[in-house]
Amino acid sequence: MGDSLLSFGKIHIPKLDREIDQFIKSQATEAHLLDSMSYSLAAGGKKLRPLLLLGTIAFFNGQITRGAYQVAGALEMIHTYSLIHDDLPAMDNDELRRGKPTNHIVYGEGLAILAGDGLLTEAFHLVAEAELAAELKVSLLQRLARYAGTQGMIGGQVADIEGESQQLDLPALQSVHRRKTGALIKFAVEAGLLISHQEQQISDQMQIYAENFGIAFQIKDDLLDVIGDETVIGKKTGMDQALNKSTYTSLLGVEGAKVALEDHCQVAMSALEEVKLELKITQETSLLAELIQTLMV
Amino acid sequence: MGDSLLSFGKIHIPKLDREIDQFIKSQATEAHLLDSMSYSLAAGGKKLRPLLLLGTIAFFNGQITRGAYQVAGALEMIHTYSLIHDDLPAMDNDELRRGKPTNHIVYGEGLAILAGDGLLTEAFHLVAEAELAAELKVSLLQRLARYAGTQGMIGGQVADIEGESQQLDLPALQSVHRRKTGALIKFAVEAGLLISHQEQQISDQMQIYAENFGIAFQIKDDLLDVIGDETVIGKKTGMDQALNKSTYTSLLGVEGAKVALEDHCQVAMSALEEVKLELKITQETSLLAELIQTLMV
């Protein structure tokens, strides 16, 4: 992880965590429900999506206000709910996540489902209550729901489950992941642009950045399932092959997947360079470039 | 059901259904997911909550615009998601709902969980996209999330499940149901007031109406579980007793519950009369009064 990303995270992640924590505590009436929600939020995720959102604001020299933390917090809450529900026995049936027992293993299936529902609902609540102008909040809520909803993440999860029983080709695989993991990554970048009032001029290049970030992220995830170290990544490897799932590595091979990963990272980097040229940004490195570098092998 | 309620429903429910149907179709990318969501939406609910919302607007002579149908539709979608998740084996484990197999019996647990997640997310999406002013949408979204969230419906569901293993007293039982069923009923009335710009002057009496409506609704539900006819209500009766659940009938007896039901209906009716006096509304009956009458035995 690059130096500036590391120090950026050290400053902003505690503030983000505090914002989430205060909000869910203020809304909880049942102790076990709060415990279950907090357990998964605190399970040591990399906070990639909030960092991408806040990093986008920083890239355009926008101010990281309380409203920005609130929206970034809501994004992390939605990501966390999706992991809780995906891990359930009726879906991926995972018992380990980030090196710890999954939510339903600790709290039971009923409470895990409700903790997910709670995180999803309170995420929208947090954006609706955020310290931002009403028009901006409506725009953010429209996009968050679209990208997290049935044409976004949820649709992608359905396609992923249904794809387990069949051989997908590369376009079909990309369509699954553009929705399942790509949609929230896209939201992170677009929300950063909206909050820093940059939505007009550079949206095309930033879309290319976000799209390729999302694909590269998924290729990396597939690669780690084959070549990763369980003790480092905190979950069982070899699961995709055991489930006979179509992945970037099953379609392209390990070496082919590495090349594709490199390609998508390069396209994302070039898009960033274009934006820097256009806006005459002279800084040598940026968080958005360092975030891409974390995906490279 | 009173005549004016019946004709009101005949006019407005098809418009409401069309609004929901069009929206979820426009957002769906996966056929099975859409089927699963549509199945539960079409399972023949009474549309009590949307009728209460639209009836509140009509009571104050407000105009029922497209925006009103959209918010009422979102409310019905949230109610429907909560039924799908509550029926799951990990929760109430119900196989029959409104006389039909429950969602997970037809589509499997994984898709039922995702259909619930989809309806919840798209409900917020629909309000965010509604044809209403941004400030009003933010107010509605704040309340919808608060009442459907962890201090509202979800918290109530957790308390309900945890209460199954213990004997609750009347205040504890009311606290469960104020959240589990009362919160969305309260939203229906408050949303109607917000949309018809009546939130200031008569909110206290309307709160009393909504609170007592919610309690009466739950007492009726408990009574039907004891004295109802399975073929009429479309689900198994005697379930509460089999689960040894605290209910209004277990705490007050059947006759005591009937008296309490009558009392709460009367309090709600009186609150409405107060509002009519205050606003010099001269109409003999109203939908809001007829909705209360549907709860009486």
Side-chain angles (χ1 to χ4, degrees):
Chain A
M1 202 181 264
D3 276 356
S4 59
L5 181 56
L6 214 59
S7 60
F8 186 81
K10 268 191 193 152
I11 295 168
H12 295 289
I13 288 178
K15 293 185 185 177
L16 172 87
D17 286 344
R18 207 174 313 130
E19 205 64 61
I20 297 173
D21 194 55
Q22 278 175 2
F23 189 72
I24 65 165
K25 278 190 181 141
S26 74
Q27 299 302 318
T29 54
E30 295 299 316
H32 290 151
L33 178 63
L34 179 61
D35 288 349
S36 171
M37 290 161 69
S38 302
Y39 175 80
S40 290
L41 283 167
K46 296 182 294 293
K47 310 281 159 72
L48 178 79
R49 291 155 193 80
L51 282 173
L52 196 50
L53 191 158
L54 300 174
T56 300
I57 298 175
F59 186 71
F60 293 102
N61 290 312
Q63 237 204 315
I64 299 182
T65 59
R66 181 161 184 224
Y69 292 120
Q70 290 169 314
V71 177
L75 178 56
E76 184 68 10
M77 287 161 73
I78 289 195
H79 171 58
T80 304
Y81 118 77
S82 77
L83 299 181
I84 297 174
H85 281 192
D86 286 3
D87 286 339
L88 287 166
M91 300 219 236
D92 295 351
N93 196 19
D94 277 319
E95 299 189 356
L96 211 57
R97 157 85 59 189
R98 297 166 182 168
K100 292 179 182 156
T102 47
N103 197 295
H104 64 274
I105 296 294
V106 180
Y107 294 95
E109 277 183 58
L111 207 53
I113 294 167
L114 290 163
D117 294 345
L119 285 166
L120 174 56
T121 307
E122 296 306 336
F124 288 113
H125 196 182
L126 183 51
V127 178
E129 300 277 358
E131 289 184 5
L132 296 167
E135 294 279 0
L136 177 57
K137 287 198 278 195
V138 168
S139 278
L140 289 164
L141 285 161
Q142 287 170 344
R143 275 164 211 248
L144 185 57
R146 185 159 76 237
Y147 292 154
T150 55
Q151 62 167 299
M153 186 177 68
I154 294 170
Q157 172 68 356
V158 172
D160 191 33
I161 291 173
E162 295 191 344
E164 276 172 19
S165 48
Q166 50 192 294
Q167 186 67 34
L168 303 180
D169 59 14
L170 201 57
L173 187 70
Q174 289 204 345
S175 160
V176 169
H177 292 300
R178 183 173 295 120
R179 290 172 287 162
K180 186 177 172 177
T181 53
L184 288 195
I185 287 170
K186 215 168 145 185
F187 176 80
V189 173
E190 288 187 18
L193 293 172
L194 282 170
I195 294 170
S196 50
H197 306 289
Q198 296 287 340
E199 60 273 35
Q200 296 304 329
Q201 56 190 126
I202 32 61
S203 61
D204 283 359
Q205 291 302 327
M206 289 305 290
Q207 295 279 3
I208 293 171
Y209 171 82
E211 285 264 345
N212 284 278
F213 191 113
I215 299 170
F217 178 83
Q218 188 59 48
I219 299 175
K220 179 73 179 286
D221 197 60
D222 287 353
L223 271 168
L224 285 178
D225 190 67
V226 178
I227 60 170
D229 180 340
E230 287 190 12
T231 57
V232 176
I233 62 176
K235 64 179 176 183
K236 264 193 141 150
T237 57
M239 293 297 283
D240 295 334
Q241 207 183 355
L243 287 166
N244 206 13
K245 249 179 120 161
S246 299
T247 62
Y248 285 98
T249 50
S250 76
L251 288 182
L252 305 173
V254 167
E255 288 314 309
K258 282 182 181 173
V259 172
L261 172 59
E262 192 68 29
D263 284 351
H264 287 290
C265 288
Q266 287 306 339
V267 175
M269 289 296 233
S270 304
L272 271 190
E273 288 302 318
E274 290 275 335
V275 176
K276 282 168 73 172
L277 270 175
E278 206 174 314
L279 298 186
K280 303 191 174 45
I281 296 173
T282 52
Q283 66 201 80
E284 203 48 53
T285 61
S286 78
L287 298 166
L288 295 186
E290 284 190 36
L291 280 164
I292 287 287
Q293 280 153 8
T294 65
L295 301 178
M296 294 177 169
V297 282
Chain B
M1 205 181 261
D3 276 356
S4 60
L5 182 56
L6 214 59
S7 61
F8 186 81
K10 268 190 194 152
I11 295 168
H12 295 290
I13 288 178
K15 292 185 186 175
L16 173 85
D17 286 344
R18 207 174 314 130
E19 204 64 60
I20 296 173
D21 194 55
Q22 279 177 2
F23 189 72
I24 65 166
K25 277 189 182 142
S26 75
Q27 297 304 318
T29 53
E30 295 298 315
H32 289 151
L33 178 64
L34 179 61
D35 288 348
S36 171
M37 289 162 68
S38 302
Y39 174 79
S40 290
L41 284 167
K46 296 181 296 290
K47 310 281 159 73
L48 178 79
R49 291 156 193 79
L51 283 173
L52 196 51
L53 191 159
L54 300 174
T56 300
I57 297 175
F59 186 70
F60 294 100
N61 291 312
Q63 238 203 313
I64 299 182
T65 58
R66 182 163 184 223
Y69 291 120
Q70 290 170 313
V71 178
L75 177 56
E76 184 67 10
M77 288 162 72
I78 289 196
H79 171 58
T80 304
Y81 118 76
S82 78
L83 300 181
I84 297 175
H85 281 191
D86 286 4
D87 286 339
L88 287 166
M91 300 221 236
D92 295 351
N93 197 19
D94 278 319
E95 298 188 357
L96 211 58
R97 156 86 59 190
R98 298 168 180 168
K100 292 180 181 154
T102 46
N103 197 295
H104 65 274
I105 296 293
V106 180
Y107 295 95
E109 279 184 55
L111 207 54
I113 294 167
L114 289 163
D117 294 344
L119 285 167
L120 174 56
T121 308
E122 296 307 335
F124 288 112
H125 196 183
L126 182 51
V127 178
E129 300 277 359
E131 288 184 5
L132 296 167
E135 295 278 0
L136 177 57
K137 289 198 276 195
V138 168
S139 280
L140 289 164
L141 285 162
Q142 287 171 344
R143 276 164 211 249
L144 185 57
R146 186 158 76 237
Y147 292 155
T150 55
Q151 62 167 299
M153 187 176 69
I154 294 170
Q157 171 68 357
V158 172
D160 192 34
I161 291 173
E162 296 191 344
E164 275 172 21
S165 48
Q166 50 191 296
Q167 185 67 33
L168 303 181
D169 59 12
L170 201 58
L173 187 69
Q174 290 204 345
S175 159
V176 169
H177 292 301
R178 183 172 295 120
R179 290 171 287 162
K180 186 176 172 178
T181 54
L184 288 195
I185 288 171
K186 216 169 144 185
F187 176 80
V189 173
E190 289 187 18
L193 293 172
L194 282 170
I195 294 170
S196 49
H197 306 290
Q198 295 288 339
E199 60 274 35
Q200 297 303 326
Q201 54 189 129
I202 32 59
S203 60
D204 284 358
Q205 291 301 328
M206 289 304 291
Q207 294 279 1
I208 293 171
Y209 171 83
E211 284 264 346
N212 283 277
F213 191 114
I215 299 170
F217 177 82
Q218 189 58 47
I219 299 175
K220 179 72 179 285
D221 198 59
D222 288 353
L223 271 167
L224 285 178
D225 189 67
V226 178
I227 60 171
D229 180 340
E230 287 190 11
T231 57
V232 176
I233 62 176
K235 63 179 175 183
K236 263 193 145 151
T237 57
M239 292 299 283
D240 295 334
Q241 209 186 351
L243 287 167
N244 205 15
K245 247 179 122 158
S246 299
T247 62
Y248 285 98
T249 52
S250 76
L251 288 182
L252 305 173
V254 168
E255 287 314 309
K258 282 183 180 172
V259 172
L261 171 58
E262 192 68 28
D263 284 352
H264 286 289
C265 288
Q266 286 306 339
V267 175
M269 289 297 232
S270 303
L272 271 191
E273 287 303 318
E274 291 273 336
V275 176
K276 282 169 73 173
L277 270 175
E278 208 174 312
L279 297 187
K280 302 192 176 42
I281 297 173
T282 52
Q283 68 202 76
E284 203 48 52
T285 61
S286 77
L287 298 166
L288 296 186
E290 284 190 36
L291 280 164
I292 287 286
Q293 280 152 8
T294 63
L295 301 178
M296 293 178 174
V297 281

